[in-house]
């Protein structure tokens, strides 16, 4: 090959596998059409949603639907929330780079992965032990080193790691568990769906003050119930 001025030719760039490119395009379309179009504007949250490979957190049988606008079954009667809900709850929590966050309801591990790029540490609990084990393995495989996973009853929280700057709950108790309130820092935020399995559920943003909780209803929702341990 002839070169001018003694310059070496530009090295060839490795080709991006077609499947990976298609998934990246689907992820960008998800952010644009499902999240931005519905009012989520936090640039850090949008960047995280565009970066985390949601298809790695769903069963192979439904991987082709990973970036569609609906929840997907992940086994054991549990689901991965639709992308918009993940983005909405994450943005409502207003995560900061130095935060330590507790998640109740690990499920597939996807929400924890989104948070991992936004905060310092994520502690996530899942009552279905096989799901906790699978999520822990997937998070480790994908390099999310600042996430700790525990199998256990989310009603009890993670007291030895408390207090937390923020708590996100991705399953619905009938009332806000007091141990979670106790484990939240003064000035901290909690986003949590509350209501019965068969009745109305409301997503609440709670802020802990020196004198108690401030509660703001933000969205009607439908989550799987928060199960108590035996």
């Amino acid at each position: 090959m002839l070169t001018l001025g003694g310059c070496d030719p530009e090295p060839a760039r490795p080709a991006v596998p077609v499947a990976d490119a298609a998934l990246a395009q689907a992820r960008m379309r998800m952010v644009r059409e499902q999240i931005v179009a519905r009012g989520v504007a936090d640039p850090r949250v949008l960047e995280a949603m565009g970066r985390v490979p949601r298809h790695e957190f769903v069963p192979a049988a439904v991987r082709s639907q990973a970036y569609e606008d609906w929840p997907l079954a992940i086994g054991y009667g549990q689901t991965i929330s639709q992308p918009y809900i993940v983005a909405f709850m994450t943005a409502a929590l207003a995560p900061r780079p130095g935060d330590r966050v507790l998640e109740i309801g690990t499920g597939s591990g996807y929400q924890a992965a989104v948070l991992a790029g936004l905060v310092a540490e994520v502690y996530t609990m899942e009552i279905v032990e096989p799901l906790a084990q699978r999520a822990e393995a997937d998070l480790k495989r994908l390099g999310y080193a600042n996430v700790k996973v525990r199998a256990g009853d989310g009603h009890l929280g993670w007291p030895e790691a408390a207090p937390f700057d923020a708590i996100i709950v991705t399953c619905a108790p009938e009332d806000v568990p007091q141990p979670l309130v106790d484990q939240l820092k003064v000035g901290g935020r909690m986003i949590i769906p509350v209501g019965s399995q068969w009745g109305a559920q409301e997503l609440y943003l709670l802020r802990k003050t020196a004198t108690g909780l401030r509660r703001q209803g933000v969205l009607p929702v439908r989550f799987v119930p928060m199960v108590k341990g035996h």
Side-chain angles (χ1 to χ4, degrees):
M1 178 183 294
L2 178 65
T3 60
L4 300 178
C7 296
D8 293 329
E10 182 179 352
R13 297 179 181 179
V16 177
V18 173
D20 290 350
L23 288 166
Q25 289 175 359
R27 194 157 53 247
M28 291 303 102
R29 186 172 62 250
M30 172 195 79
V31 172
R32 183 176 63 250
E33 297 178 2
Q34 300 174 33
I35 299 171
V36 175
R38 294 167 76 177
V40 177
D42 186 319
R44 296 181 67 239
V45 173
L46 297 177
E47 195 276 333
M49 295 294 296
R51 182 179 63 245
V52 176
R54 190 171 188 262
H55 62 277
E56 295 282 4
F57 293 93
V58 302
V62 294
R63 189 160 290 178
S64 63
Q65 303 175 55
Y67 297 106
E68 301 299 335
D69 190 26
W70 51 71
L72 296 170
I74 57 172
Y76 305 95
Q78 305 300 302
T79 61
I80 179 174
S81 295
Q82 70 186 99
Y84 168 70
I85 288 293
V86 174
F88 181 91
M89 292 179 69
T90 304
L93 202 66
R96 298 175 296 220
D99 282 350
R100 300 170 68 252
V101 178
L102 173 64
E103 179 194 20
I104 304 299
T106 310
S108 69
Y110 176 66
Q111 174 72 79
V114 170
L115 286 167
L118 298 170
V119 302
E121 294 178 283
V122 179
Y123 294 78
T124 181
M125 296 186 66
E126 171 57 56
I127 198 166
V128 181
E129 189 165 355
L131 283 180
Q133 293 171 346
R134 187 169 72 196
E136 184 174 34
D138 285 340
L139 289 160
K140 183 177 181 180
R141 172 176 61 85
L142 294 166
Y144 295 100
N146 62 334
V147 180
K148 297 177 175 63
V149 182
R150 168 178 286 184
D153 186 348
H155 288 84
L156 305 177
W158 200 319
E160 65 270 32
F164 298 99
D165 299 286
I167 297 176
I168 184 167
V169 183
T170 60
C171 45
E174 294 193 0
D175 297 294
V176 179
Q178 187 59 43
L180 300 186
V181 176
D182 295 341
Q183 292 170 35
L184 188 63
K185 284 183 180 178
V186 172
R189 300 88 61 207
M190 185 190 309
I191 188 90
I192 180 171
V194 178
S196 68
Q197 180 176 1
W198 308 114
Q201 294 179 6
E202 182 79 13
L203 189 64
Y204 287 97
L205 178 62
L206 310 179
R207 297 183 184 277
K208 188 173 182 179
T209 72
T211 57
L213 282 180
R214 293 195 343 235
R215 179 185 297 222
Q216 176 188 357
V218 291
L219 195 70
V221 289
R222 172 63 60 193
F223 279 83
V224 297
M226 187 174 179
V227 179
K228 285 189 176 181
H230 300 292

